[in-house]
Amino acid sequence: MSIPDPSKKFIFGSATSSYQIEGAWNEDGKSASIWDTFSHKGKIKDKSNADIACDHYNRFQEDVEIMAQLNLDAYRFSIAWPRVLPLGTGKPNEKGIDFYKRLCDNLLEKSIRPFVTLYHWDLPQILEDKGGWTNRDIIEWFSEYTSVMHNALKDRVKDWIILNEPFVFIVLGYLLGVHAPGRRGFKNFFRASHHAMLAQAASARILRSLDSTARIGTTVSCTATYPARDNEKDRQAARRFDAFYNRFYIDPVVGRGYPMQDLPVLKKIKKYIMPDDDKGIQFDFDFWGINTYSTKLVKRNRVVPWLGYRELKRKLPRTAMGWEIDARGIHDLLMQFGKYPEIKELYITENGAAFDDRVEDGRVHDMNRIHYLNQHIDAVLKARANGINVNGYFAWSLMDNFEWAEGFRPRFGLVHVDYKTLQRTIKDSGYWYRDFISGLKTKS
Ligand code: FCB
């Protein structure tokens, strides 16, 4: 059993995250995460929680079997920090760690390359009680967690992803309060942001020092933005949006600083920057993962003065999340960030669509998803043909799962999950993806 060779070939995978699929929320010594607490308080739209979710913790072998059937080259999943370090730091929980070892072993047996995300939003509640991301000590907590996971998986994993989408977990969780831990306000937002950037780079440096052959990346959520009209006001609005949604968590890491000129409110972060932090947040990542789903059209508007823009609705087809479908965005983002000389390699680490899928006679005929995937993969391959070093695409998601504050209604999977029986049914899009991947494999 060996780790599949990370050579230059374009890989196709799928992605999930621990809280969204694992269930087993308090099994085998796992402690509560902020999402357990948040959902148990009734904060989810359908009042659900992911105590059981897809029960992947107990059914991972079946799920890896499905991945093999789908012909996946790679699988991106995340570690539940409170499963492996129930106190956040200190004594590791061997049973929790063992789960991820067995998962990786199963993947490697099928020649599926594991991409491990260290943080996909399920912070141990015990650390949130000490301030979570707003406490600068998180740099040490996260560093310790990183070493524990590296030590546990170093023989099985080469591809590491430090954070999933800082923009989303910090804006929704610490500025607007609609995601766990449900905190609000600029003070929480800017502190959490800066600490996440420091912790991210510290974690990456630790991985590099422990393992010179590790491939170290991180992921960001990005949304390509276009000005409503071709005038300076709307172009400025688009730059503001881009600074906030896209560049805020990329530019400082690659040494360009926080994009304060384009979005002046970001200057408030200065209060939390200590001497040498501008170096401390930088890291020369081996790859960047872009997660993207839709695009935005914006115009100048001062209703929210610190933002200075407003999003416009278009007459485009939408997914069950209400997100407009516009495949040119994925191409344009790859062109935008692929041209940064500081960025060496890109992956699309999430892309996909939710639709109201139904099982009929044992099949799910999700033509709309096939169409979405086809268009978006095409756009990615076009950027690659245009010279961008993008080397993989991960469909979100392997299977239907708990969609955060939205609960179980939106179904993003290539595989349908019946939440009553937990039965998995490969959707037509799953079969399409399998055939698409095999087609490319036979051509190369
Ligand atoms: C992303 C998240 C992922 C999933 C998709 C739909 O923002 O990273 O967990 O919820 O959106």
Side-chain angles (χ1 to χ4, degrees):
M1 214 164 49
S2 61
I3 304 174
D5 175 25
S7 61
K8 277 288 164 222
K9 95 179 185 63
F10 193 91
I11 56 171
F12 285 95
S14 72
T16 62
S17 87
S18 43
Y19 185 68
Q20 292 178 279
I21 65 166
E22 283 180 5
W25 79 282
N26 61 0
E27 276 178 44
D28 291 342
K30 177 182 170 293
S31 69
S33 79
I34 54 174
W35 274 95
D36 292 311
T37 309
F38 192 72
S39 61
H40 291 165
K41 280 190 196 151
K43 300 274 191 184
I44 310 303
K45 249 190 203 161
D46 57 7
K47 303 293 171 216
S48 63
N49 57 57
D51 288 4
I52 299 173
C54 308
D55 196 31
H56 172 75
Y57 185 75
N58 296 305
R59 293 166 196 252
F60 71 92
Q61 280 145 320
E62 179 187 348
D63 293 334
V64 174
E65 197 59 55
I66 292 173
M67 294 180 223
Q69 276 181 48
L70 295 184
N71 242 319
L72 302 186
D73 299 307
Y75 174 52
R76 173 179 174 234
F77 62 95
S78 76
I79 309 286
W81 185 347
R83 196 181 287 295
V84 298
L85 282 167
L87 299 176
T89 56
K91 194 170 179 303
N93 174 24
E94 287 311 324
K95 282 191 176 162
I97 288 185
D98 204 50
F99 165 69
Y100 295 107
K101 286 187 175 166
R102 286 182 295 136
L103 171 61
C104 289
D105 287 343
N106 272 248
L107 291 166
L108 295 174
E109 267 163 32
K110 309 272 183 204
S111 299
I112 299 171
R113 188 166 141 198
F115 277 64
V116 171
T117 306
L118 286 174
Y119 188 75
H120 200 130
W121 309 355
D122 40 1
L123 184 72
Q125 179 61 43
I126 197 166
L127 296 182
E128 176 56 29
D129 295 343
K130 296 179 188 161
W133 291 98
T134 63
N135 184 339
R136 207 174 150 110
D137 289 347
I138 197 146
I139 304 167
E140 271 80 59
W141 307 333
F142 194 56
S143 298
E144 183 179 334
Y145 164 54
T146 304
S147 313
V148 168
M149 285 325 299
H150 177 263
N151 186 43
L153 298 182
K154 59 177 184 282
D155 301 331
R156 298 166 170 89
V157 174
K158 277 286 162 241
D159 298 283
W160 297 88
I161 290 172
I162 310 291
L163 294 182
N164 180 68
E165 300 189 352
F167 179 87
V168 179
F169 79 79
I170 300 169
V171 171
L172 300 189
Y174 287 86
L175 176 66
L176 304 176
V178 295
H179 269 197
R183 292 165 70 185
R184 284 169 217 252
F186 274 135
K187 192 171 161 191
N188 287 327
F189 169 62
F190 284 116
R191 285 163 81 182
S193 285
H194 189 55
H195 298 155
M197 291 300 93
L198 287 162
Q200 171 178 260
S203 158
R205 278 192 288 273
I206 285 169
L207 280 179
R208 178 131 309 153
S209 71
L210 293 172
D211 185 349
S212 61
T213 65
R215 287 170 28 85
I216 307 166
T218 198
T219 74
V220 280
S221 53
C222 286
T223 303
T225 320
Y226 306 98
R229 287 160 309 179
D230 189 21
N231 62 31
E232 187 40 35
K233 279 186 180 171
D234 289 359
R235 277 197 294 275
Q236 190 198 45
R239 274 200 303 279
R240 281 180 161 236
F241 184 101
D242 182 53
F244 190 42
Y245 269 71
N246 303 331
R247 288 185 282 125
F248 184 36
Y249 296 99
I250 299 179
D251 285 6
V253 182
V254 302
R256 297 180 176 212
Y258 289 113
M260 301 178 194
Q261 278 107 321
D262 285 331
L263 190 62
V265 73
L266 298 181
K267 289 190 185 136
K268 286 182 192 277
I269 204 167
K270 282 189 186 161
K271 208 168 152 193
Y272 308 103
I273 303 182
M274 310 245 277
D276 298 330
D277 279 3
D278 56 334
K279 284 271 168 310
I281 56 182
Q282 291 180 37
F283 187 76
D284 184 17
F285 280 106
D286 297 314
F287 65 93
W288 281 81
I290 290 187
N291 299 352
T292 189
Y293 291 88
S294 187
T295 64
K296 291 279 185 220
L297 189 72
V298 297
K299 67 181 286 195
R300 163 99 145 241
N301 185 287
R302 299 229 167 258
V303 171
V304 185
W306 63 269
L307 276 180
Y309 63 75
R310 188 166 71 86
E311 299 166 16
L312 300 180
K313 289 207 166 100
R314 287 164 291 182
K315 286 203 185 84
L316 290 172
R318 287 162 185 269
T319 69
M321 294 291 282
W323 298 345
E324 293 170 342
I325 302 177
D326 180 12
R328 76 188 150 144
I330 201 167
H331 169 268
D332 294 352
L333 286 170
L334 287 168
M335 297 307 293
Q336 178 181 352
F337 293 110
K339 284 184 186 158
Y340 271 40
E342 308 92 336
I343 291 184
K344 299 177 191 155
E345 185 180 13
L346 288 164
Y347 285 86
I348 294 298
T349 34
E350 281 182 29
N351 174 247
F355 293 108
D356 297 324
D357 304 316
R358 249 168 229 108
V359 184
E360 287 159 325
D361 301 329
R363 295 290 295 256
V364 179
H365 300 302
D366 54 341
M367 273 309 293
N368 35 17
R369 184 172 291 101
I370 294 178
H371 189 58
Y372 181 100
L373 294 174
N374 200 1
Q375 276 184 319
H376 284 75
I377 293 173
D378 225 50
V380 173
L381 296 176
K382 195 168 127 206
R384 186 170 151 95
N386 285 338
I388 298 301
N389 193 27
V390 53
N391 290 322
Y393 175 92
F394 291 79
W396 184 271
S397 176
L398 173 68
M399 54 187 152
D400 295 339
N401 59 47
F402 176 83
E403 178 49 33
W404 308 113
E406 298 296 313
F408 287 102
R409 187 192 57 86
R411 292 181 173 274
F412 276 92
L414 299 169
V415 176
H416 180 277
V417 177
D418 178 327
Y419 296 117
K420 288 205 184 87
T421 61
L422 296 169
Q423 192 184 336
R424 277 80 164 135
T425 305
I426 300 180
K427 300 180 191 176
D428 286 0
S429 59
Y431 292 116
W432 174 87
Y433 197 48
R434 174 197 68 186
D435 294 344
F436 184 86
I437 300 172
S438 335
L440 287 185
K441 273 187 182 155
T442 39
K443 260 185 239 156
S444 61

